[in-house]
Amino acid sequence: QVHVVESGGGSVQAGGSLRLSCVVSGRTFMTYLMGWFRQAPGKEREFVSAITWAANSRNYADSVQGRFAISRDNDRNAVYLQMNSLKPEDTAVYFCAARERVIPAGQASEIMGLAYEYDYWGQGTQVTVSS
Protein backbone atom coordinates (compact mmCIF):
# COMPACT_ATOMS: atom_id res chain seq x y z
CA GLN A 1 0.00 0.00 0.00
CA VAL A 2 1.28 3.44 -0.92
CA HIS A 3 1.11 6.37 1.46
CA VAL A 4 1.45 9.99 0.39
CA VAL A 5 1.75 12.37 3.31
CA GLU A 6 2.00 16.15 3.12
CA SER A 7 3.18 18.47 5.87
CA GLY A 8 4.19 22.08 6.36
CA GLY A 9 0.92 23.88 5.87
CA GLY A 10 -0.19 26.63 8.17
CA SER A 11 -1.33 30.23 8.47
CA VAL A 12 0.81 33.17 7.40
CA GLN A 13 0.36 36.80 6.53
CA ALA A 14 0.61 38.03 2.99
CA GLY A 15 4.22 38.27 1.90
CA GLY A 16 5.27 35.41 4.12
CA SER A 17 6.72 32.01 3.26
CA LEU A 18 5.94 28.36 3.85
CA ARG A 19 7.67 25.14 2.80
CA LEU A 20 5.52 22.13 2.07
CA SER A 21 6.91 18.62 2.23
CA CYS A 22 5.56 15.37 0.86
CA VAL A 23 6.86 11.85 1.42
CA VAL A 24 5.80 8.76 -0.51
CA SER A 25 6.17 5.47 1.36
CA GLY A 26 4.83 1.96 1.74
CA ARG A 27 6.09 0.29 -1.42
CA THR A 28 9.30 0.82 -3.32
CA PHE A 29 8.82 2.25 -6.79
CA MET A 30 10.14 5.05 -8.93
CA THR A 31 8.05 8.18 -8.77
CA TYR A 32 8.54 9.39 -12.33
CA LEU A 33 6.58 12.51 -11.61
CA MET A 34 5.68 14.31 -8.41
CA GLY A 35 3.47 17.32 -8.27
CA TRP A 36 1.45 19.75 -6.21
CA PHE A 37 -2.14 20.73 -6.79
CA ARG A 38 -4.40 22.98 -4.74
CA GLN A 39 -8.09 23.46 -4.16
CA ALA A 40 -9.65 26.59 -2.73
CA PRO A 41 -13.17 26.60 -1.25
CA GLY A 42 -15.78 26.49 -3.99
CA LYS A 43 -13.21 26.00 -6.72
CA GLU A 44 -11.89 23.07 -8.68
CA ARG A 45 -8.52 21.50 -7.99
CA GLU A 46 -5.78 23.23 -9.97
CA PHE A 47 -2.21 22.48 -10.89
CA VAL A 48 0.54 24.28 -8.98
CA SER A 49 3.86 22.66 -9.85
CA ALA A 50 5.49 19.38 -10.81
CA ILE A 51 8.93 17.84 -11.22
CA THR A 52 10.28 14.78 -12.98
CA TRP A 53 12.41 12.04 -11.39
CA ALA A 54 15.69 13.50 -12.60
CA ALA A 55 14.53 17.04 -11.87
CA ASN A 56 15.33 17.91 -15.48
CA SER A 57 11.83 19.22 -16.06
CA ARG A 58 9.77 21.43 -13.77
CA ASN A 59 6.56 23.26 -14.46
CA TYR A 60 4.71 25.96 -12.59
CA ALA A 61 1.29 27.48 -12.91
CA ASP A 62 1.44 31.04 -14.15
CA SER A 63 -0.05 32.25 -10.88
CA VAL A 64 2.92 30.97 -8.83
CA GLN A 65 5.77 31.35 -11.32
CA GLY A 66 8.64 33.23 -9.73
CA ARG A 67 7.28 32.83 -6.21
CA PHE A 68 7.21 29.06 -5.69
CA ALA A 69 10.04 26.56 -6.17
CA ILE A 70 9.72 22.79 -6.37
CA SER A 71 12.47 20.33 -5.52
CA ARG A 72 12.81 16.65 -4.68
CA ASP A 73 14.99 14.21 -2.79
CA ASN A 74 14.85 10.82 -4.46
CA ASP A 75 16.71 9.11 -1.61
CA ARG A 76 13.82 10.05 0.65
CA ASN A 77 11.14 9.76 -2.04
CA ALA A 78 10.14 13.29 -1.11
CA VAL A 79 9.10 16.45 -2.89
CA TYR A 80 9.11 19.97 -1.52
CA LEU A 81 7.39 23.22 -2.41
CA GLN A 82 8.97 26.43 -1.22
CA MET A 83 6.34 29.15 -1.30
CA ASN A 84 7.46 32.76 -1.03
CA SER A 85 5.65 36.09 -1.32
CA LEU A 86 2.41 34.38 -0.46
CA LYS A 87 -0.84 36.07 -1.37
CA PRO A 88 -4.37 35.64 0.04
CA GLU A 89 -5.34 33.98 -3.24
CA ASP A 90 -2.86 31.20 -2.47
CA THR A 91 -5.16 30.06 0.32
CA ALA A 92 -6.17 26.48 -0.40
CA VAL A 93 -5.69 22.87 0.53
CA TYR A 94 -2.48 21.71 -1.14
CA PHE A 95 -2.29 18.14 -2.39
CA CYS A 96 0.77 16.13 -3.27
CA ALA A 97 0.57 13.62 -6.12
CA ALA A 98 2.89 10.94 -7.46
CA ARG A 99 3.05 9.04 -10.72
CA GLU A 100 4.36 5.48 -10.88
CA ARG A 101 3.71 4.91 -14.57
CA VAL A 102 6.55 5.58 -16.98
CA ILE A 103 6.20 8.90 -18.77
CA PRO A 104 6.02 8.50 -22.57
CA ALA A 105 9.08 9.99 -24.20
CA GLY A 106 8.85 13.72 -24.67
CA GLN A 107 5.50 14.09 -22.94
CA ALA A 108 6.52 15.15 -19.44
CA SER A 109 5.61 18.79 -19.92
CA GLU A 110 2.27 17.86 -21.48
CA ILE A 111 1.07 15.67 -18.65
CA MET A 112 2.48 17.48 -15.61
CA GLY A 113 -0.57 19.63 -15.11
CA LEU A 114 -3.16 16.90 -15.57
CA ALA A 115 -4.50 15.43 -12.33
CA TYR A 116 -5.56 12.15 -13.96
CA GLU A 117 -1.95 11.46 -14.96
CA TYR A 118 -1.02 10.87 -11.32
CA ASP A 119 -1.49 7.56 -9.54
CA TYR A 120 -1.34 8.40 -5.85
CA TRP A 121 -2.58 11.35 -3.82
CA GLY A 122 -2.16 12.67 -0.32
CA GLN A 123 -4.91 13.94 1.95
CA GLY A 124 -3.81 17.55 1.63
CA THR A 125 -2.45 20.25 3.90
CA GLN A 126 -4.16 23.58 4.54
CA VAL A 127 -2.42 26.83 3.63
CA THR A 128 -4.09 30.04 4.78
CA VAL A 129 -2.74 33.46 3.82
CA SER A 130 -4.26 36.49 5.50
CA SER A 131 -4.09 40.05 4.18
Side-chain angles (χ1 to χ4, degrees), residues 56-90:
N56 56 341
S57 183
R58 308 170 199 232
N59 269 6
Y60 298 92
D62 290 342
S63 58
V64 306
Q65 182 75 45
R67 300 187 297 121
F68 291 10
I70 192 169
S71 60
R72 64 184 295 163
D73 181 344
N74 291 336
D75 289 339
R76 303 181 67 180
N77 225 10
V79 65
Y80 308 97
L81 187 67
Q82 177 66 43
M83 306 186 296
N84 300 324
S85 302
L86 283 161
K87 304 176 181 180
E89 51 263 43
D90 294 318

Side-chain angles (χ1 to χ4, degrees), residues 14 16-17 25 27 29 31 33 53 59 66 72 81 83 85 87-88 91-92 94 97 100 110-112 116 118 125:
S17 299
S25 64
R27 183 166 57 83
F29 61 90
T31 49
L33 192 61
W53 170 264
N59 269 6
R72 64 184 295 163
L81 187 67
M83 306 186 296
S85 302
K87 304 176 181 180
T91 295
Y94 284 69
E100 181 179 11
E110 294 180 29
I111 69 173
M112 274 183 169
Y116 61 80
Y118 293 81
T125 185

Side-chain angles (χ1 to χ4, degrees), residues 3-4 20-21 25 31 42 66 78 82 87 91 122-123 128:
H3 301 280
V4 180
L20 304 184
S21 299
S25 64
T31 49
Q82 177 66 43
K87 304 176 181 180
T91 295
Q123 293 298 307
T128 302

